[in-house]
Amino acid sequence: LSAEREATALPPPPNAPLPASNPLIHTKGTPSSEPQPEPTIKRIIERLRPGDRLRDRIGQNIKRFETTTLATATSPITAWPPPEELLRKLNELAADGPPRPSSYKDIRKWVDQTTSSLSYIMTTRGPHDLQAIPAIITLDECFHDAMVLADSLSDIDRAAQIRRAAFAVKRRTKTWHAAAILAEGITEKTADERTTLNNISSLLASLEAFEMNSTAGRATEVRQALVVIERSELLQFETLRQAVIHHYAAPNFRVALDEEFLTRLMPESPSRTETVRDVILGKPVRGRRVVEQITSVDLTPDADEICFDLTVDGQVSTYAITETGPIALTSKGSGQFTVKKPIKICREGLIVGRSVASASNRARLMNVSTSFDSVPLMGSLLRTLARNQHADSLPEANREVAQKIVWQSCRETDQESEKKFAILSEQIQDSFWQPLVQLGLSPTPFMETTEDRATLRLRLNADTQLAAHTPRPREPDGTLFGYQVHESTINNAFERLGIKGQRLALEELFIHVQQQLGLEQKIPEDLPEGVSVAFEQVEPIRVDFDQGLVQVKISIDALESGRRNWYDVIGSVTYKPVASGNTIVLKREGPIRIGGPGHRGRIEFALRTIFGKIFPKERPVPIVPKKFTDHPRLQDLTTLQAMSWDGWVAIALGDTPQLQTAETPEEQPTVIR
């Protein structure tokens, strides 16, 4: 707010200059009647590369949008790092127009406005320039314009591309704005102030390098740059730190469960017949009852926790005989009950409340018999008295029976559910949560419950790592279960496995990795024997999720197999998500590629054989839990989404849609948020 108030007192930046005066776009053609650029902008223009013409899809010649190549991030013109990756995204948007010319015109207009705002920021001297904040605020408006534009497009893939570019703009505006607030008031008059400005510029430059290639080394550089600035003890440092964490270390794992899906996971309760031996209104009752019940989940909206009621709805049918002296009453009863057990998942863990219930009962007298039925007058009189007494006491008897149903149903629900939830909580703690803690990934949960969906997001990264920084794919309509995992989740875990520079036999490697990840220790039967591997010190294993594929790259310092040795080898294997019903697997796509300095282009059949046994083509990797795919009440679910794009793998299961718009899940449109 203080930044916005100050911005109103400063001269506003130019509002979207025309492309002719845009220092980030080089155009060739007829002269413009617009005012000539300022000298500072001219110097930026001189740094640009000329472009080529491109013919668009409707056959018209249009000028290709040009990317910018500034000399360095610390040029004498500006301290802002050149946003090369963002400019590349804008270049792709402007160069490849959609079939509808009107849509392309709107897209090109937004690209021009965005690059104009970027170019004005580049003309300022850096975050400490008084003109920086109002210029960044102008650029921030481009994000909102892009989201409106994307929502108006019928081309879903192009809308997703615009949203990705819009979020790339947003990451810059938020971190640049925080950097400008931090640098506000620094005059460069002292060596300490100049050092502080250089540290801020170094952080922004490291963020741009991470945008270009999100490796572990560049993530570490960002975290180190933050630590250096923190040592300056500037008052507004926390604003900058939060901006970096929020946009470059966002939650990298998300799972969403629909209320209907959770209900289907509940075990079915078959009807059961029980013997009745009870006392009602002080009178002994014997007989039998049949209990039928259904268990469901009712979500309770909460902004910070996952809250729901485990609900049990049941019916009780009773056939009972009540004997009082010489009189025996035969009756049938029909009762209903509802039990609600509150359950909450929060940062403290699983919290289970006590069950509460409501019940009703309605009994109907079927027959009255006495030991004096053979006596004409006495038997008739006793039966009449018994019927009258039964009618008088019936309301009270129904209340007592209903109360007994409440007590029994609550007791049974508490006993069964608490035992099962305790086992489930222990399994999650031992096989999922604790391994993440031991790896040093500091799992940080973010939870939310709406009326129909429970969502859990996790940030998994160590102190020297970042997390997600690109927008996740949006779930299709009708999704009952879905999750999205960012590549940083896997890469951060690999970085913490403790295998960098280590020499291990393959059997030891599999056991070590499974122990670290809390998995069942199992060595593949066809694993080659007598093979040891020493990994590189930097990113020995890395995965990349993009273009519909999952690529795994292994960097090996040395690999020994009997008398054969290989050094400095890089192996890569590609997988593709393949869906069938409610089952989704990663299936190996194409051959294993082997390269690196030690390979030197030679055809090594023995080396390929080793890699082939580690990554067998006939052994796809399932990415949907087996408990879901094998669950009898989930067999009718189908895959609505199975994709890998822009750093994310996203899957979604739901009921079979009535109208199928694509033949395969891979052809489903990609929407991001």
Side-chain angles (χ1 to χ4, degrees), residues 28 141 329 348 432 441 489 501 602:
K28 297 182 289 185
E141 295 174 357
L329 304 176
E348 289 74 26
F432 179 73
L441 293 179
T489 306
R602 297 177 299 171

Side-chain angles (χ1 to χ4, degrees), residues 447-514:
M447 293 167 281
E448 181 186 14
T449 310
T450 63
E451 292 183 354
D452 57 1
R453 179 160 296 192
T455 304
L456 169 65
R457 297 183 298 151
L458 288 177
R459 177 195 292 135
L460 302 172
N461 67 321
D463 293 339
T464 59
Q465 298 172 331
L466 296 177
H469 69 286
T470 55
R472 64 174 179 84
R474 186 180 297 174
E475 296 168 337
D477 294 336
T479 297
L480 298 181
F481 165 75
Y483 73 80
Q484 301 87 35
V485 56
H486 191 260
E487 60 189 29
S488 62
T489 306
I490 311 299
N491 291 327
N492 288 348
F494 284 154
E495 282 291 306
R496 306 291 298 181
L497 286 177
I499 62 174
K500 293 188 290 187
Q502 298 295 317
R503 182 183 298 272
L504 298 168
L506 285 186
E507 295 84 355
E508 296 174 339
L509 175 63
F510 271 79
I511 294 296
H512 175 77
V513 172
Q514 290 167 351

Side-chain angles (χ1 to χ4, degrees), residues 145-319:
D145 294 341
M147 299 303 287
V148 173
L149 173 61
D151 292 340
S152 67
L153 296 180
S154 59
D155 187 339
I156 298 180
D157 289 334
R158 178 50 57 96
Q161 188 179 5
I162 292 174
R163 290 190 182 97
R164 281 192 287 270
F167 276 95
V169 170
K170 184 178 182 179
R171 292 195 294 272
R172 271 78 172 189
T173 60
K174 298 306 180 183
T175 52
W176 290 359
H177 192 210
I181 293 175
L182 184 64
E184 192 174 14
I186 298 179
T187 61
E188 299 182 274
K189 292 182 179 180
T190 66
D192 289 342
E193 288 182 333
R194 289 192 292 270
T195 299
T196 300
L197 289 178
N198 287 335
N199 291 338
I200 295 175
S201 296
S202 297
L203 171 64
L204 298 181
S206 64
L207 288 173
E208 284 302 328
F210 182 79
E211 289 273 1
M212 294 285 291
N213 191 3
S214 55
T215 62
R218 291 185 173 179
T220 301
E221 292 174 0
V222 173
R223 300 305 293 254
Q224 291 175 343
L226 270 178
V227 172
V228 171
I229 298 175
E230 184 178 13
R231 292 171 183 165
S232 303
E233 298 183 352
L234 297 174
L235 295 178
Q236 299 293 341
F237 167 74
E238 185 61 23
T239 302
L240 177 60
R241 192 187 76 85
Q242 288 295 334
V244 173
I245 296 300
H246 182 74
H247 294 284
Y248 291 92
N252 45 11
F253 176 82
R254 175 185 180 272
V255 60
L257 302 167
D258 191 86
E259 184 179 84
E260 180 183 346
F261 183 83
L262 291 171
T263 296
R264 294 191 190 186
L265 288 179
M266 294 297 103
E268 293 184 347
S269 300
S271 62
R272 64 181 188 271
T273 301
E274 302 173 343
T275 300
V276 176
R277 290 191 179 276
D278 206 342
V279 176
I280 305 297
L281 297 180
K283 300 174 182 179
V285 177
R286 58 183 175 85
R288 66 178 184 275
R289 62 167 167 248
V290 178
V291 181
E292 297 179 346
Q293 62 185 38
I294 299 175
T295 305
S296 61
V297 171
D298 295 323
L299 295 177
T300 304
D302 192 284
D304 300 311
E305 299 172 340
I306 295 178
C307 302
F308 61 93
D309 288 334
L310 185 67
T311 303
V312 180
D313 294 304
Q315 292 184 345
V316 181
S317 300
T318 307
Y319 179 85

Side-chain angles (χ1 to χ4, degrees), residues 547-619:
Q547 303 294 326
L549 301 173
V550 174
Q551 185 177 27
V552 183
K553 185 177 72 173
I554 300 179
S555 300
I556 297 175
D557 180 63
L559 191 148
E560 300 179 359
S561 176
R563 299 180 180 179
R564 302 294 303 273
N565 299 328
W566 296 270
Y567 302 95
D568 299 323
V569 174
I570 298 177
S572 62
V573 58
T574 301
Y575 289 89
K576 182 179 181 180
V578 178
S580 176
N582 67 348
T583 302
I584 307 174
V585 298
L586 292 178
K587 188 175 181 180
R588 208 184 87 186
E589 187 88 352
I592 296 175
R593 294 175 295 280
I594 300 177
H599 181 59
R600 294 190 296 273
R602 297 177 299 171
I603 301 177
E604 295 283 2
F605 292 104
L607 185 59
R608 290 186 178 275
T609 300
I610 293 173
F611 274 95
K613 290 185 177 181
I614 298 175
F615 302 100
K617 195 167 186 177
E618 63 277 3
R619 189 191 301 154

